Every structure is written in structure tokens, then in C-alpha cells.
Amino acid sequence: MTDSPLKLPLREQYAALRSGKLTATTLAETSLEAHRIRGQHDHAYMTWNGEAALAHARATDQVIRQGGDTGALMGIPVSLKDLFAVPGLPTYAGSSRRLPPQWEQAGPLVRALLAQLPSVMGKTHTVEFAFGGLGTNAHWGAPRNPWDLENHRIPGGSSSGAGVSLVGGTASLAFGTDTAGSVRIPASMTGVAGLKTTAGRWPGKQIVPLSPTLDTPGLLAQRVDDLAFAFDALDGALTGRDDRVPAPPTLADLTLGVPSAFFWDDCSPGIAESVERAIRQLEAAGARLVTLDLPNTDEAYRLFLEGGVAAAELSAFLKTDLPEAITALDPNVAARVEAVDDMPAWEYVRRRALIDKLYGMAEREIAGVDAMLTPTVAITPPTVESLLSVEAYARANMQALRNTMIANFMGLCGLTLPVGNDSAGMPVGLQVMAGPRQEARLLAIGQSIEQRLGTGISILGEPPAP
């Protein structure tokens, strides 16, 4: 589907819509056709909104023909993770039951998006209440990672349908959330780019919460440049700041930190090799590499293994707002929610204080470089069948989240972009992290890296057709 107009850079779609070379109707129709061909196989969407989106696209074209322009994302096909409250579409948050009507009232982020008149193609699958990094769901099943036709491999979670919607050609831009890696993991595992914003930069109101402390809305797209385009389209309306992505810097002007340990541990065959090869290409292009091991990385990971604060905060939300959902939880989610029932208040306060401490230490340390480079995910996407036992699921879940959770527990922003394939032929991601609220500069650095290494489409090609 390389010739699909949905795979064109967002800047090209933007220009073609306004010049009349492309219409919102054509984009929506192409999405519907892709869903007809791949939808049943890919299983990306919890709620498909294709026909309504097509009608909306036709109306959008009328506005464009009359000279109207509602924003950079006008007419662009988008998907949203089924945590975002979207008027007219049900919200399940991956649970077995439709959430109350209040979760169909748009919050600030969705309002800012809808004001630009994109074509909302539907709401994508998520792990139940976003509590997992693999993408499985006992109620609705897991989307298929499109890079393996023979085996049902996980797509990464918790934004499990987001990357699949992009690779499958039904969306040009996908919205997800990231609490410990839930944007970057599915982006990495499906071979697209993903942005995790700093906690608190973009409002989380009317996005079903997992952990108000750590939750961050984020974006997935075919390339880093698309993330930069979409970031500029939304950030000003959400923050009131004029913090646009600057021109990409020259690689020779960048100092990039590379850790000597932790992030490289227990990588599946081909992952470390692909990332190391990409880093060597950046060095050959002039980037200065220095060793950077963030202090207290092991302490942050121990806190994560203990459950961090997400289980306690999700438990509080469920017991306060959705008590009827507790008895029907996915067993992999229920086990971690139940485990915090006996947590004393002082322990939760201790964990929150430790996260605040980690934030400060990481900000000071990472300020010495322009960005930090690591593998995004250390493991090949496992098959759904291999995760049936509780023990196997728990082990793989921790492995998948290991590298990405550091940015969340240390208050950093981060992105991932594809840099090759592992030994199983699955996509490999390079994680790029920067200090808090440095998204604009981070995206510019990501653009420079992408210009040197190539985009996911140029590196990986197309996944096999079902």
C-alpha cells in the first residue's frame, strides 16, 4: 500500500488538499477500502466509524472548496485509542462494558483536534484500562502485528490498535497514551514513529486514566516529520505556548548520550545490533557520542517492578468511578489491581516522592546532552499463544516495558523511530529521549536522525498483504 495517499507525508497531504490535487473524500474512501481488505485480519479498531467519517469528509471538501481552512489536520484520517472520549462514539477503555455517557464528552485535546475537521476513522483497541505493554485483551482479542502473517504476534500495548491502523492504511495519524511506554512500544513493534509527551504538557481530561501521575497523551505516525507536523498543529491550542518545532539541527552540532548498560540487557537477537548500526551511522555523519548512564536507573526499575503508582491509582479510579467493572477485569489486569489492596498510604506517598526525586535527578543529568539514544523495546514481539500462562505474560510484559518506562518514571519526553529489523524480521525501534517539555527540540533532532537513516517505509518496506 505504498501508493496509498494515507502514506504520504502529512505535509504533502496538507498541501494537496488545499491545491485540489487530493480530497478528504479520496482519503476517507482509501481508508474504507483498506479496512475492507485488512480490517478483519488486522483487528485494529474497537469501533469503526468509516461511513460517518466518509460523510464528514465530503462536507469537509465543501468547506475547502469555499476557501475555508480549519487547521493543519483538516481532512486528515485519524484514529484514536479507545480511552479518548469522542462525541458520538462509545468508550470501552478495553473493558467488557461500555462506559457511562460522560466518557463520550470531548476533553480539551479531542476538542482541539475536532475543531480542525479531521476524518475520525474510529477508535482503536487498547489493553483494558491501558494496563499492559503487550496489547492483549481477554474481552476483545489482540490486534495482529501486520509484519507476521503466519503467527499472531502482539502489536505492542497498551495503544494496541494505533500502530496497526497506520500500517494497515486506515489512518494517517493515530492518537494514543503512554504511561510506561504505551505509545512507543506499539510504534516500535509495528515499525512506525511515536511521540511520548512530558506528563502534564497536554491535558488528560476526558481520557480514561490509568495513572494521573504518569499518563501522557501521545501521537503515532509513519515518520518523525509527521509527528512534528501534528505536534505543531495541536500544541499551541493545548498549552497556549508558541513552542513550534525548529529547523532540524545538523548532526555534527549534536551531542548524543548512549548508555553503557541497562537498556541493552537481554535484547532479543538482532535488536541491539540494529540500534548499534543506526547509532554508528549517526556518528559517521558527525554526531558526537558520549556515554550517559542516568543515575538511579536501577532504582526506577525496581520501583516499576514493585508496581509503581499505576496499580494504586487505577484501583482508586475503578473503585470510585467504575466499581461495576472490577469483577469483570481481564485476569492480567485484575491480578495487579488486587495486589495493591493492602498497600498502606505511606507506601504510596513514598513511591510518589521517589518519582519526584527521580524527575529532578534525570533532568539535571540529561541536560548535558542534546538527546539520549537507546533501543526502544528489547524483545521481539511474542506470539499471543506464548503468553497464555500468567507467568509468561508477566515476564514478557516487564521485558517489553523495561526500556520505555524510564522516561515516564524520570519525567522525560521521548520518541521512537524504526531503524531496521530483528532476527525474526520484526521492526526495531530507536528510542530518543530528552528533558521535560523539550518536545519541539526533540522532534527536530528526530527529524535530523530520520533524514540520515531514512523513514520506516524506506527502511522496512511494506508488511506482507493478508
Side-chain angles (χ1 to χ4, degrees), residues 67-123:
D69 192 334
T70 54
L73 300 179
M74 186 180 192
I76 302 294
V78 302
S79 68
L80 293 102
K81 183 179 185 177
D82 191 31
L83 296 183
F84 291 82
V86 180
L89 298 179
T91 299
Y92 287 83
S95 70
S96 60
R97 306 174 185 180
R98 184 172 181 167
L99 271 54
Q102 74 183 74
W103 290 107
E104 295 167 29
Q105 300 172 14
L109 193 156
V110 171
R111 285 199 301 269
L113 171 65
L114 296 182
Q116 299 189 40
L117 300 185
S119 298
V120 178
M121 304 314 302
K123 300 183 74 174

Side-chain angles (χ1 to χ4, degrees), residues 166-181:
L166 296 168
V167 178
T170 57
S172 299
L173 177 68
F175 288 76
T177 63
D178 193 311
T179 305

Side-chain angles (χ1 to χ4, degrees), residues 24-25 28 32 49-62 119 121:
T25 300
L32 264 73
N49 190 48
E51 293 300 331
L54 178 58
H56 185 278
R58 289 170 176 149
T60 299
D61 284 329
Q62 293 281 1
S119 298
M121 304 314 302

Side-chain angles (χ1 to χ4, degrees), residues 16 148 158 179 198 204 233 250 260 347 358 379 441:
D148 189 337
S158 63
T179 305
T198 308
T250 302
S260 63
E347 174 62 13
L358 292 169
I379 63 168
R441 170 71 170 164

Side-chain angles (χ1 to χ4, degrees), residues 132-135 154 156-157 180-182 184-186 188-189 266 301 304 375-382 387 393-405 431:
L134 300 178
I154 61 162
S182 291
R184 290 160 292 153
I185 294 170
S188 176
M189 286 188 171
D266 301 319
Y301 188 55
F304 175 68
T376 307
V377 183
I379 63 168
T380 296
L387 303 172
Y393 176 89
R395 182 171 57 254
N397 191 49
M398 291 299 104
Q399 290 175 313
L401 291 158
R402 172 188 173 87
N403 285 2
T404 53
M405 53 75 47
Q431 180 173 225

Side-chain angles (χ1 to χ4, degrees), residues 309-336:
V309 295
E313 293 181 346
L314 176 59
S315 179
F317 168 70
L318 293 175
K319 289 176 180 178
T320 301
D321 292 69
L322 298 171
E324 68 282 357
I326 295 174
T327 58
L329 286 174
D330 179 330
N332 287 319
V333 175
R336 283 171 290 156

